[in-house]
Amino acid sequence: MRLPIILDTDPGIDDAAAIAAALFAPELDLQLMTTVAGNVSVEKTTRNALQLLHFWNADVPLAQGASMPLVRPLRDAASVHGESGMEGYEFVEHDRQAMVKPAFQAIRDALMHAPQPVTLVAIGPLTNIALLLTHYPECVFNIQRLVIMGGAAGRGNFTPNAEFNIAIDPEAAAKVFQSGLEIVMCGLDVTNQAMLAPEYLATLPQLNQTGKMLHALFSHYRSGSMNTGLRMHDLCAIAWLVRPELFTLQSCFVAVETQGEYTSGTTVVDIEGRLGHPTNAQVALGIDVEGFQQWVAEVLALAP
Ligand code: RIB
Ligand code: CA
């Protein structure tokens, strides 16, 4: 029985690799994809997501989501992913469209019509997830769990303390971590280790059409380099779903700082339980890097 999932994403070059794994991992059933502003504008993340779905001829509905964080101006990561958000590959023209309803409504509808609880996977800012929980709090009963790429128990990558997905919309992230949802947090503590090695990257163009396309994108991806290895942040969220044994998780209380002048967007991960609050997330603190790399090679080989 394949695991039904909904993927909220801001493609984004590492998002593209995660979408490939979500589509071609035999353990998963990608039922809906939604976009959010993050790496680039939501118009661009939506265009990129549609291009990827067309590239893979995937029969997966897409809904466009929030164009702005809940209360803050949008700041992007075009410096990492290029102005388009997926620099480096010319996708063919197509006529795919996003559905009319916004992402949070599309997620709610998909959850309420599902015969069993669905796993939500969020690999961008958590704005759509926060809107879902605000407008449709009853849907929590139809969510198996939420798996995110976001946050860090250690240092950040957008500010000294804050990881990008959380830093872009701290208010949304705070809402999500306070929601009572079962959360698995794949933060920088593991995603910074989840590198694809230069030797493997060099084999991608000969792997298949997906490898060729990802190699072209990866050549423009600035979280690492083709010569030193690339950090596959978003792939970790998918990897945990299908190979949880690759990760070491610890149940922790996690708070999201929203007030700090220098610290907003920080995920305060109470590993030692010093604050005395009940735990609200399973935080990935360790990863079997070789096992991750082996899995990535296996799952990308299943793509066309
Ligand atoms: O910090 C890494 C995260 O920020 C990833 O989701 C990447 O796509 C960017 O959105
Ligand atoms: Ca992302």
Side-chain angles (χ1 to χ4, degrees):
M1 179 72 177
R2 295 191 301 159
L3 181 73
I5 68 171
I6 294 171
L7 178 65
D8 189 66
T9 176
D10 62 335
I13 293 175
D14 63 322
D15 300 70
I19 293 166
L23 285 170
F24 299 106
E27 301 88 344
L28 300 178
D29 174 14
L30 179 56
Q31 300 197 332
L32 169 68
M33 197 151 88
T34 56
T35 56
V36 65
N39 283 319
V40 288
S41 71
V42 74
E43 290 77 17
K44 291 180 180 178
T45 61
T46 302
R47 182 201 60 206
N48 294 340
L50 288 168
Q51 285 175 333
L52 291 168
L53 291 175
H54 181 74
F55 179 87
W56 284 307
N57 192 30
D59 182 17
V60 176
L62 184 87
Q64 178 170 320
S67 59
M68 298 290 289
L70 293 184
V71 295
R72 294 172 189 251
L74 176 63
R75 294 178 296 170
D76 70 25
S79 61
V80 176
H81 301 267
E83 280 306 313
S84 70
M86 276 192 344
E87 215 64 41
Y89 186 83
E90 281 304 314
F91 291 88
V92 298
E93 293 297 316
H94 63 85
D95 57 6
R96 280 188 184 230
Q97 300 279 325
M99 64 179 78
V100 172
K101 67 181 82 167
F104 76 93
Q105 285 184 357
I107 296 171
R108 181 261 179 195
D109 292 351
L111 289 172
M112 302 316 276
H113 290 100
Q116 63 190 28
V118 178
T119 296
L120 289 190
V121 184
I123 56 176
L126 293 171
T127 316
N128 291 334
I129 311 302
L131 289 170
L132 172 76
L133 297 172
T134 301
H135 291 282
Y136 303 112
E138 72 282 2
C139 74
V140 294
F141 300 107
N142 298 62
I143 299 170
Q144 177 80 25
R145 66 167 56 86
L146 171 66
V147 184
I148 72 168
M149 189 281 132
R155 298 189 64 78
N157 65 354
F158 190 67
T159 69
N161 298 81
E163 178 278 326
F164 178 82
N165 287 337
I166 308 299
I168 295 310
D169 199 342
E171 287 72 19
K175 169 89 180 168
V176 169
F177 277 94
Q178 293 162 5
S179 69
L181 275 179
E182 183 182 331
I183 296 171
V184 173
M185 175 181 133
C186 296
L188 296 177
D189 317 283
V190 293
T191 70
N192 275 341
Q193 299 179 63
M195 308 283 287
L196 293 185
E199 299 74 21
Y200 172 69
L201 294 169
T203 68
L204 282 174
Q206 294 75 36
L207 177 65
N208 50 32
Q209 288 306 307
T210 294
K212 195 171 181 179
M213 181 267 286
L214 289 177
H215 185 272
L217 295 180
F218 286 165
S219 303
H220 291 76
Y221 176 49
R222 295 290 172 268
S223 187
S225 75
M226 296 296 271
N227 296 327
T228 58
L230 291 174
R231 297 181 197 93
M232 291 290 116
H233 302 287
D234 291 337
L235 260 175
C236 287
I238 308 298
W240 181 83
L241 281 175
V242 297
R243 294 286 184 281
E245 69 277 9
L246 297 178
F247 295 84
T248 307
L249 269 56
Q250 180 173 327
S251 187
C252 299
F253 170 70
V254 178
V256 179
E257 177 58 60
T258 60
Q259 305 301 316
E261 180 181 355
Y262 297 106
T263 56
S264 72
T266 300
T267 44
V268 179
V269 181
D270 189 7
I271 293 173
E272 299 83 5
R274 299 184 195 284
L275 299 174
H277 292 297
T279 63
N280 60 347
Q282 295 287 323
V283 179
L285 296 173
I287 182 172
D288 169 358
V289 175
E290 277 188 29
F292 171 80
Q293 293 170 335
Q294 176 61 35
W295 170 75
V296 172
E298 287 168 7
V299 73
L300 292 186
L302 297 175

